[in-house]
Amino acid sequence: MDSEATVTTCYRHPKVECHVRCVRCDRYICPDCMREAAVGHQCPDCVKEGMRSVRQARTVVGGRVSAVPVVTYALIAVSVLAYLAELALPEVVDRFAMLGAGLVGPDGGHYVWVEGPYYGDFRAEGLVNGEWYRLLTGAFLHLPPTEGTFGILHIVMNMVALWNLGRAVEPMLGRVHYLALYLLSALGGSVLVLLLAPQDAVVGASGAIFGLGAAYYVVARRIGADMRAVNRFMAGLLLWLVISAVVTSWEGHLGGMLAGGAVAAAFAYVPRGRRRTVLQAGACLVLLALLVVLAVAKVSELTGGGVSQ
């Protein structure tokens, strides 16, 4: 009879002697590899395999549950960095603000849009000059400290609103749904500015924030929340929409609210099932296509039928 006992070692650490087996795969595991289970211990590989079979929690619209509003923090960071860029290079605002149609003179000044031909080195600027990126970049810029009615309060108020609303809405929707809604709201605000006030240079995240406000209302109704506080919030938002029309771009606010409400309704009320994500994405694409068509049609009208590329 062999007097030497068989030495057993950890399957992940062959030099470590051990005598405990994983309750799922029956392999030996050392103390560093032991993971507490309902009965006994499991190895790291079996724990990972078990996690894959666990159904992940979803938000009411089908997004992944996220306790930390990472997208909100990222949007605030981008807006603050853009503001610092404005302070360092003031021309950033003129270059990236939402503007449908304008003219730049030989002196570098900005003038009211008139359809060409131009004389004296005047040139077109804005969407009529093919600067389509302005539809989104304007939503990440804000008034310089010494300009406009609010000055530096413009970005401060918008970032505080984004901080408060984002932390409520992002967990309701999930990160991907939330980002899609924010960008489409910003785009909706810019397109309504283009349609109704194409010669206005507009900056600010207000349109997207109004879209978040509309989404907050829609999703709150969908989940059966106590609507008293939500209704008071919406009443305040609508009141601000009316009051701010005197000193801000009400077109951007209203466009963002309408787009955000439409996207939120599509997210919240599409029936559950395997096709829900496809239908939600389809609704976003339909809205995107509509906004693009409206923008192209308006620019074509402004330029007399020729759209800049």
Side-chain angles (χ1 to χ4, degrees), residues 93-294:
V93 176
D94 293 332
R95 188 72 180 86
F96 294 98
M98 169 54 207
L99 176 65
L103 291 176
V104 178
D107 58 351
H110 301 277
Y111 297 88
V112 176
W113 163 259
V114 291
E115 189 178 341
Y118 311 117
Y119 303 97
D121 293 328
F122 280 83
R123 60 180 177 82
E125 66 172 343
L127 270 66
V128 294
N129 192 41
E131 297 163 4
W132 295 99
Y133 53 83
R134 290 178 180 264
L135 287 168
L136 281 180
T137 55
F140 293 94
L141 301 176
H142 290 83
L143 292 173
T146 59
E147 293 186 16
T149 304
F150 300 104
I152 195 171
L153 286 178
H154 187 216
I155 186 172
V156 171
M157 291 188 298
N158 275 348
M159 293 303 100
V160 170
L162 178 54
W163 169 267
N164 289 320
L165 263 177
R167 289 186 299 161
V169 178
E170 186 175 344
M172 288 180 172
L173 301 181
R175 293 172 183 171
V176 174
H177 291 75
Y178 175 80
L179 181 60
L181 184 139
Y182 188 91
L183 294 177
L184 284 171
S185 297
L187 183 60
S190 294
V191 170
L192 197 59
V193 170
L194 172 64
L195 295 177
L196 302 181
Q199 297 186 41
D200 289 352
V202 177
V203 293
S206 303
I209 292 171
F210 268 77
L212 295 183
Y216 178 55
Y217 178 81
V218 170
V219 178
R221 286 188 63 87
R222 175 67 178 82
I223 63 177
D226 183 350
M227 295 302 294
R228 288 175 294 182
V230 179
N231 288 336
R232 287 195 296 270
F233 166 78
M234 284 304 297
L237 196 66
L238 293 172
L239 180 61
W240 175 243
L241 175 63
V242 174
I243 295 175
S244 64
V246 180
V247 291
T248 64
S249 172
W250 66 267
E251 300 91 348
H253 294 176
L254 181 59
M257 179 181 288
L258 294 175
V263 173
F267 286 167
Y269 289 98
V270 166
R272 294 185 179 184
R274 294 180 179 179
R275 300 179 61 190
R276 177 164 67 171
T277 301
V278 174
L279 293 174
Q280 291 172 338
C284 290
L285 290 175
V286 168
L287 177 59
L288 176 61
L290 174 62
L291 294 174
V292 169
V293 168
L294 290 173

